[in-house]
Amino acid sequence: MRQSELFTKTERNAPKEEVSLNAQLLERAGFIYKNSAGVYSFLPLGWRVMRKIQAIIREEMDAIGGQEVLMAALHDKKYLKATGRWDVDVVFKVAEGAGKEPSFNLSWTHEEIMAEIATKYVSSYKDLPFAAYQIQAKFRNEPRAKSGLLRGREFLMKDMYSFHASEEDLMKFYHGMAVPAYKKVFGRCGLQAFVTVAAGGDFTISNTHEFQVASDIGEDTIYVCGQCGYAENKEISKLKDGEKCPQCGGIIKEEKAIEVGNIFPLGTKYSEAFNLSFDDEKGEKKYVVMGSYGIGVSRLMGVIVEKYNDANGIVWPESVAPFRAHLLALNGADGEYIYKTLQTAGVEVLYDERVMTAGEKFAGAYLIGIPWRLVVSPKIAENKVEIKRRGEKESKVVDVGEAVKMIMFSART
Ligand code: ATP
Ligand code: MG
């Protein structure tokens, strides 16, 4: 894409009212726009990143048999009334007209909706198991919406629901499929997420598991083993800093962390509420056993920015970067040839052909944080280009063909 056609521009200064680093960098670089506290729009660069993160999630959910759906975002109050969740604090309620009592709520999670849908298709053990997922906007009236994409009042979530004939089958899917798939998702996004044992809560049959990324700005505290990565949320843990890990004898450390995902063995609470049952092999009626699996899709983007940045801006991992290469044409140099060459080679490239100073172009490129920066200028010999990785100091002048190869065959995140 030609940068002169991109409708957003980078800004020199951070927005005054943003306190969180991810929001400051993402707004300055033109990835997101803040509509109100905890409510953001994704702009072209930001949406490209969002789509890459979503593609990773879709691939991994599809790989474990997840079937993608898109459920309604406007929910009749009968759903939450059925499970006693209508009066949960964070639920945004909607009235059908002025002066009327709220009779709907905006989607905040979908256990009820999905359970009811399943009643139409599940009647026998032969209809089980299956899992359905979606990537959709969720609305929660969060009291502390000051951390940019980390805690939105509107945010994108991937939520999956699985349906099983037995608790045993649920736990097989939960530990055997969902946990490994989640680890892959976060790993591919450049994040190390600890599988953390967490509290069960009202609607689960056992402990739940959170996926926690260590970070000083995290709202959670976890105890994590430096050797095997075993982790427990402080809320339920009896472990202490410096103690021996119960799993491997390594040393336990206390860390602040951000929850990027959460999985729940739900049991039959929701199937009971919606009479979601099936006939087992002996013809006996049983309630379906459910699991639910969330990933904070937009929060992930915020966490990546919190982890991958330096004094000059964002340093995107290659797997989620908005473009692979950023080509800057300085001081009237012509970059058309290399722009076309990169495009022909299938490299996603942002081509800065705007008329402006080299200093401004460099500052913008640092801020946006695309993994490979290519520079053509009158000072560099013809058919050569200066190539540099974002986050590294060294640059090299190489042939155009060599630069294309370096970009195409780098598999680093
Ligand atoms: P938290 O404890 O952070 O409020 P939660 O337990 O309410 O999270 P879930 O309902 O399990 O979260 O939602 C699944 C995932 O969605 C979470 O693991 C988190 O990554 C993400 N998430 C939850 N609330 C928000 C929010 N307000 N903004 C952005 N992402 C969120
Ligand atoms: Mg919450």
Side-chain angles (χ1 to χ4, degrees):
M1 176 178 203
R2 290 171 194 278
Q3 208 165 340
S4 63
E5 288 166 7
L6 184 66
F7 79 78
T8 60
K9 312 254 179 307
T10 57
E11 282 164 353
R12 216 180 292 261
N13 299 311
K16 278 188 210 75
E17 67 296 346
E18 288 289 7
V19 288
S20 76
L21 183 64
N22 72 88
Q24 287 179 358
L25 288 171
L26 288 167
E27 281 176 57
R28 264 183 76 197
F31 284 70
I32 60 173
Y33 180 88
K34 181 182 187 169
N35 296 102
S36 61
V39 181
Y40 293 91
S41 295
F42 292 91
L43 305 178
L45 293 174
W47 189 242
R48 289 181 76 97
V49 174
M50 230 30 282
R51 283 175 49 180
K52 297 227 165 133
I53 295 173
Q54 292 181 18
I56 290 172
I57 294 173
R58 287 195 167 95
E59 276 177 35
E60 298 303 340
M61 294 306 110
D62 291 349
I64 57 169
Q67 301 174 45
E68 188 170 1
V69 297
L70 183 63
M71 287 183 262
L74 189 61
H75 303 171
D76 190 297
K77 71 169 188 283
K78 70 174 184 184
Y79 290 101
L80 293 185
K81 286 275 187 192
T83 53
R85 300 210 283 182
W86 174 249
D87 286 316
V88 169
D89 271 354
V90 296
V91 174
F92 271 109
K93 295 178 181 172
V94 184
E96 276 185 274
K100 296 210 172 122
E101 283 292 305
S103 51
F104 285 85
N105 67 279
L106 297 179
S107 64
W108 70 303
T109 182
H110 279 74
E111 282 82 6
E112 288 88 348
I113 305 285
M114 190 62 224
E116 192 197 65
I117 293 172
T119 59
K120 185 168 172 186
Y121 301 103
V122 175
S123 55
S124 146
Y125 68 94
K126 290 178 192 151
D127 302 322
L128 299 165
F130 70 94
Y133 76 94
Q134 64 175 349
I135 295 175
Q136 194 211 32
K138 297 284 191 273
F139 304 86
R140 294 183 184 179
N141 198 3
E142 302 277 3
R144 324 176 287 275
K146 282 195 186 136
S147 29
L149 293 186
L150 300 185
R151 187 166 292 287
R153 295 197 301 158
E154 174 176 341
F155 60 98
L156 282 171
M157 193 200 282
K158 185 285 300 180
D159 43 329
M160 180 164 74
Y161 305 90
S162 73
F163 298 83
H164 307 266
S166 66
E167 219 173 286
E168 194 193 350
D169 193 60
L170 162 68
M171 295 322 281
K172 220 169 75 192
F173 179 79
Y174 185 96
H175 289 294
M177 313 274 265
V179 170
Y182 267 49
K183 283 192 194 156
K184 280 191 203 156
V185 166
F186 301 124
R188 288 178 65 185
C189 289
L191 300 173
Q192 186 185 13
F194 297 108
V195 186
T196 306
V197 183
D202 296 345
F203 282 83
T204 59
I205 49 177
S206 69
N207 282 328
T208 65
H209 292 84
E210 296 167 345
F211 292 77
Q212 296 276 5
V213 174
S215 163
D216 290 341
I217 60 155
E219 292 179 13
D220 286 298
T221 304
I222 61 169
Y223 291 114
V224 56
C225 172
Q227 190 164 300
C228 72
Y230 176 78
E232 294 181 359
N233 194 308
K234 189 174 184 173
E235 285 172 6
I236 58 138
S237 184
K238 292 188 177 73
L239 296 171
K240 284 197 180 69
D241 196 55
E243 229 173 52
K244 268 200 176 154
C245 171
Q247 306 283 311
C248 76
I251 304 293
I252 294 287
K253 257 185 83 181
E254 182 175 316
E255 300 255 24
K256 291 257 173 244
I258 306 171
E259 177 194 314
V260 288
N262 202 180
I263 60 177
F264 305 80
L266 294 172
T268 57
K269 293 278 161 69
Y270 294 90
S271 26
E272 284 176 41
F274 289 90
N275 196 23
L276 171 58
S277 59
F278 67 99
D279 292 332
D280 72 5
E281 276 146 313
K282 293 182 211 121
E284 272 171 46
K285 247 197 186 354
K286 286 200 172 137
Y287 285 117
V288 172
V289 181
M290 285 175 65
S292 100
Y293 314 81
I295 291 180
V297 182
S298 48
R299 179 180 286 184
L300 256 183
M301 180 164 158
V303 176
I304 293 168
V305 174
E306 294 282 347
K307 286 260 158 198
Y308 291 93
N309 66 76
D310 63 16
N312 297 317
I314 306 170
V315 186
W316 291 108
E318 257 178 54
S319 57
V320 300
F323 290 90
R324 200 94 190 265
H326 200 168
L327 171 62
L328 316 186
L330 303 185
N331 304 320
D334 182 2
E336 285 300 317
Y337 168 70
I338 177 159
Y339 178 50
K340 294 270 157 59
T341 308
L342 285 163
Q343 283 188 317
T344 308
V347 175
E348 293 171 299
V349 52
L350 181 63
Y351 174 27
D352 190 354
E353 25 59 296
R354 298 169 303 168
V355 180
M356 64 174 51
T357 66
E360 283 173 304
K361 287 198 181 189
F362 281 135
Y366 275 123
L367 187 57
I368 291 171
I370 292 168
W372 291 94
R373 190 188 74 191
L374 301 174
V375 174
V376 286
S377 91
K379 281 194 218 146
I380 297 167
E382 220 168 304
N383 281 326
K384 300 241 180 213
V385 62
E386 185 202 85
I387 185 163
K388 182 180 171 308
R389 281 190 79 108
R390 180 73 180 87
E392 283 176 14
K393 283 215 171 77
E394 250 169 68
S395 65
K396 280 200 225 177
V397 175
V398 298
D399 289 336
V400 170
E402 174 66 18
V404 173
K405 263 194 230 152
M406 284 170 73
I407 296 168
M408 284 180 71
F409 298 110
S410 76
R412 232 184 313 168
T413 51

